[in-house]
Amino acid sequence: MAKVLLGFMGAGKSTIARGLDPDYIDMDALIEECLGMSIVNFFAEKGEEAFRQVESEVLADLLKTDHVVSTGGGVVISQRNRDLLKTNPDNIYLKADFGTLYQRIAADTGNQRPLFLNNSKEELAAIFQERQTWYEEVAGRVLDVTKLSPEEIIEELR
């Protein structure tokens, strides 16, 4: 069974996954490898529906493995993905308040996310609110990471 890390951008999914297992799977990177192009470009060329289809196929395959998986923040948007995730008992929602996440995203100048660049703070807050319900719906465990260091989170999950 896969150990799947869920959460909004800035929650630390990739950092924590790397700390739990250096051979973790970054789902977005795997999808880009499958597509042969960036997710941003695929979205622009084929649209969200085509992307979510590929995302669901990759997720279904990953859930059959024993890997630690770092998902993209939008994996819970699709009902099909939420249904798939509900079959996996080891989903961990790395939860943090919006203010903390916004500060982390803004400070991460090496990884300027399109969702951050193309939406106002208010629009991002609305997206966060909607997704938070879905993360909680599919999570087997919710861990509030707002005030925890990556080391503390990794220790808690071991």
Side-chain angles (χ1 to χ4, degrees):
M1 134 186 81
K3 182 183 291 287
V4 179
L5 301 181
L6 302 161
F8 202 67
M9 59 183 150
K13 298 178 299 291
S14 296
T15 301
I16 302 311
R18 189 178 305 109
L20 289 171
D21 181 357
D23 296 323
Y24 81 101
I25 306 288
D26 179 308
M27 193 169 154
D28 281 350
L30 181 60
I31 290 170
E32 287 184 340
E33 201 175 292
C34 293
L35 297 174
M37 68 174 73
S38 73
I39 290 171
V40 172
N41 288 345
F42 187 83
F43 241 82
E45 282 184 29
K46 308 277 188 184
E48 183 173 4
E49 190 175 327
F51 171 74
R52 296 294 170 204
Q53 179 63 40
V54 172
E55 183 183 55
S56 292
E57 291 166 11
V58 170
L59 178 63
D61 288 343
L62 287 174
L63 291 177
K64 297 173 190 165
T65 72
D66 288 329
H67 291 290
V68 172
V69 178
S70 171
T71 61
V75 73
V76 293
I77 290 171
S78 153
Q79 181 65 55
R80 178 161 184 237
N81 288 353
R82 293 195 305 274
D83 291 342
L84 286 167
L85 285 163
K86 287 176 190 174
T87 69
N88 188 63
D90 204 5
N91 299 327
I92 302 158
Y93 171 28
L94 302 179
K95 183 177 183 170
D97 64 80
F98 179 74
T100 298
L101 294 171
Y102 191 83
Q103 286 176 330
R104 290 179 186 173
I105 299 162
D108 189 2
T109 55
N111 182 15
Q112 289 293 288
R113 298 157 169 96
L115 199 62
F116 173 73
L117 296 173
N118 298 328
N119 289 281
S120 69
K121 186 174 183 178
E122 293 73 25
E123 289 166 330
L124 267 182
I127 293 167
F128 168 78
Q129 282 303 114
E130 181 177 45
R131 290 184 185 179
Q132 186 168 275
T133 305
W134 293 330
Y135 296 134
E136 290 175 358
E137 175 186 326
V138 300
R141 180 171 183 192
V142 177
L143 181 60
D144 188 336
V145 299
T146 303
K147 294 181 171 43
L148 299 177
S149 69
E151 296 75 24
E152 290 169 321
I153 297 164
I154 291 162
E155 188 59 38
E156 178 74 28
L157 295 177
R158 282 217 160 109

